[in-house]
């Protein structure tokens, strides 16, 4: 439980401070992973601790070796890493927390307590927007929102950085505990309805751990005062985000079916100018089998480019923004790409990627189709294969959604 700081409190925070925070947060997540997974078992799929450990442990290794010119660059890189590796809904959500905070900090080499407050508020707003969630929905927002508000209120009443973070940590802890009697309205726990009542939300709990780690980092050692930023590799260029992996089983230009060696390309050496389709599923097999089914139902035998991003990069169940990005780039011909997702984290991952498309520079217009996965995949691919433009392809997805089965 945070106690008021006794010594001088940091006046500004540099890259080294945020690096120490991420290291500490990673240690805490590693230590508490089993508890987070236990919390995710009665109201989720028992993977939150494993998801967080995977993302933070590998992310910490990345930021340990790469120099970053400013706190903002460090947090953005860490956020991109989380969206690619965590696998569950927490990936795009915490990825957004880090990227939003990083973007708000801009290129500043040191961050004032007020700027940290702005970054926290922007991070919370980003999560709420991406997850369409509000306080009371029994999610991480129930810990993050009071933490951000308590921090700003404490600063406003004259507290120093460490004391304001202590107030934030207390508010986050209380916010996490307050999720116990709530009925879940977002995320996997919402599938349980009334049965979600009586359990603490795993994401609110991990958020409280991260805010407590931020407080502990400030309390442990005062950061340099204004004008005394430590060297953080500023002279070197920020490391590039890890390059996107090769697309999975994609039938785009260069892909298996229409690659340079295929019969189609030899006979008609023109670029495929149709809308591309990407299927994003939690499982590699589901994505691949759905793509096969959709291809088989294209009557002409000449399907538009279709790519898949199924499962995580290591083959496990989940979603990876890096795989989505690779698949989109692979099927894009400049006419737009329609993405179909299965559940929760797949949708959040794609939305987060689109929101950040400035950073990732997706090649052309990318839209998410709101339709059931299998029916939507068939409808979208069949329509795209006719050469229809992206608006028409999206209408086909709407038709697939509206089709009643009883
Ligand atoms: P998944 O639910 O995909 O298995 P995790 O178990 O890693 O992902 O993360 C679950 C946590 O994510 C939940 O406890 C909740 O706090 C958070 N979460 C899920 N969906 C949302 C949402 N729409 N908005 C805010 N937070 C969410
Ligand atoms: Mg889970």
């Amino acid at each position: 439980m945070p106690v008021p700081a006794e010594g001088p409190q940091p006046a500004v925070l540099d890259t080294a401070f945020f690096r120490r925070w991420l290291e500490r947060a990673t240690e805490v997540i590693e230590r508490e992973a089993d508890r987070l997974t236990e919390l995710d078992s009665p109201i989720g799929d028992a993977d939150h601790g494993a998801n967080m450990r995977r993302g933070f442990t590998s992310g910490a290794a990345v930021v340990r070796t790469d120099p970053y010119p400013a706190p903002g660059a460090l947090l953005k890189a860490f956020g991109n890493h989380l969206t690619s590796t965590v696998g569950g809904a927490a990936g795009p959500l915490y990825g957004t927390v880090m990227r939003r905070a990083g973007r708000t900090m801009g290129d500043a080499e040191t961050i004032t307590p007020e700027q940290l407050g702005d970054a926290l508020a922007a991070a919370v707003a980003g999560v709420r927007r991406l997850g369409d969630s509000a306080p009371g929905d029994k999610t991480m927002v129930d810990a993050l929102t009071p933490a951000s508000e308590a921090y700003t209120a404490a600063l406003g009443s004259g507290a120093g950085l460490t004391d304001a973070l202590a107030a934030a940590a207390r508010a986050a802890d209380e916010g996490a505990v307050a999720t116990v009697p709530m009925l879940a309205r977002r995320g996997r726990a919402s599938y349980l309805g009334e049965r979600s009542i009586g359990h603490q939300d795993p994401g609110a709990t991990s958020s409280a751990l991260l805010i407590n780690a931020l407080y502990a980092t400030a309390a442990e050692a005062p950061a340099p005062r204004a004008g005394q930023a430590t060297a953080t590799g500023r002279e070197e260029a920020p490391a590039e985000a890890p390059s996107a992996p090769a697309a999975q089983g994609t039938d785009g230009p260069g892909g298996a079916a229409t690659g340079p060696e295929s019969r189609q390309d030899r006979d008609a050496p023109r670029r495929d100018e149709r809308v591309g389709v990407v299927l994003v599923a939690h499982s590699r097999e589901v994505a691949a089998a759905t793509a096969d089914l959709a291809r088989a139902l294209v009557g002409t035998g000449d399907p538009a480019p279709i790519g898949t991003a199924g499962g995580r990069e290591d083959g496990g169940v989940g979603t990876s923004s890096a795989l989505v990005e690779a698949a989109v780039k692979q099927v894009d011909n400049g006419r737009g790409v329609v993405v179909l997702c299965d559940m929760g984290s797949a949708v959040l991952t794609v939305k987060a990627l689109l929101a950040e498309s400035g950073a990732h520079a997706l090649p052309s217009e990318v839209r998410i189709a709101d339709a059931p996965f299998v029916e939507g995949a068939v409808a979208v691919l069949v329509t795209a294969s006719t050469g229809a433009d992206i608006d028409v392809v999206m209408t086909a997805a709407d038709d697939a959604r509206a089709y009643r089965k009883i």
Side-chain angles (χ1 to χ4, degrees):
M1 178 57 78
V3 291
E6 283 177 5
Q9 303 196 23
V12 292
L13 306 169
D14 61 1
T15 309
F17 171 87
F18 288 98
R19 202 189 293 275
R20 285 202 302 278
W21 169 50
L22 294 178
E23 296 257 353
R24 183 184 283 271
T26 301
E27 281 164 28
V28 172
I29 293 292
E30 284 171 353
R31 203 166 55 232
E32 300 286 330
D34 290 347
R35 182 164 76 96
L36 294 173
T37 288
E38 267 166 42
L39 290 172
D40 196 30
S41 83
I43 56 169
D45 53 353
D47 65 357
H48 187 58
N51 287 345
M52 294 292 283
R53 179 167 46 204
R54 182 169 47 248
F56 274 76
T57 303
S58 56
V62 169
V63 300
R64 201 172 292 134
T65 50
D66 286 339
Y68 294 93
L74 172 75
L75 295 184
K76 281 192 277 186
F78 198 82
N80 284 336
H81 186 87
L82 291 184
T83 310
S84 280
T85 54
V86 167
L93 293 165
Y94 279 127
T96 297
V97 165
M98 299 292 178
R99 278 194 303 266
R100 279 302 169 98
R103 206 194 304 161
T104 305
M105 291 174 181
D107 297 332
E109 291 177 2
T110 54
I111 303 299
T112 65
E114 289 71 23
Q115 286 170 323
L116 180 63
D118 292 344
L120 279 172
V124 176
V127 165
R128 290 177 62 164
R129 182 143 181 232
L130 177 65
D132 187 26
S133 41
D137 287 346
K138 196 181 183 97
T139 70
M140 58 176 68
V141 166
D142 287 301
L144 293 174
T145 305
S148 162
E149 288 172 357
Y151 177 85
T152 303
L155 271 196
S157 43
L161 175 92
T162 311
D163 288 340
L165 282 175
R170 270 193 302 275
D173 285 341
E174 287 163 15
V177 171
T179 62
V180 174
M182 289 178 187
L183 180 130
R185 290 203 203 84
R186 289 289 178 275
R188 228 175 264 283
S190 65
Y191 305 164
L192 293 177
E194 300 274 326
R195 281 178 293 139
S196 65
I197 293 174
H199 301 280
Q200 184 163 319
D201 179 63
T205 310
S206 57
S207 288
L209 293 175
L210 298 181
I211 301 285
N212 272 275
L214 190 57
Y215 156 72
T217 309
E220 164 195 72
R225 304 205 147 256
Q228 293 179 6
T230 55
T232 51
R234 224 173 281 147
E235 67 284 358
E236 294 176 62
E240 293 280 322
S243 57
Q248 283 177 353
T250 310
D251 277 6
T258 55
E261 302 305 322
S262 77
R263 186 188 54 78
Q264 225 181 64
D265 270 9
R266 282 201 312 273
D267 292 348
R270 63 178 165 80
R271 240 165 84 89
D272 191 329
E273 286 176 354
R274 293 175 291 184
V275 169
V277 178
V278 168
L279 306 184
V280 184
H282 276 62
S283 138
R284 188 175 285 183
E285 290 78 11
V286 167
T290 308
D292 284 347
L293 172 65
R295 272 190 216 101
L297 294 178
V298 174
T300 59
D302 177 24
I306 179 165
T308 58
R312 302 193 310 259
E313 281 180 74
D314 62 9
V317 169
T319 0
S320 157
S321 63
L323 288 178
V324 176
E325 205 177 329
V328 167
K329 286 184 174 157
Q330 189 79 21
V331 303
D332 181 48
N333 291 310
R335 293 280 310 278
V337 175
V338 172
V339 182
L340 270 141
C341 307
D342 62 357
M343 301 157 292
S345 74
V347 180
L348 292 176
T349 298
V350 177
K351 280 190 179 166
L353 194 63
L354 296 188
E356 306 298 328
S357 56
H360 287 268
L362 292 176
S364 77
E365 188 179 5
V366 181
R367 292 204 218 159
I368 305 179
D370 182 8
F373 191 64
V374 175
E375 294 86 336
V378 172
V380 161
L381 187 67
V382 166
T383 310
S385 300
T386 65
D389 69 22
I390 193 163
D391 289 328
V392 176
V393 176
M394 289 295 285
T395 307
D398 283 343
D399 291 346
R401 184 185 56 221
Y403 176 74
R404 301 295 303 264
K405 295 179 185 171
I406 49 169

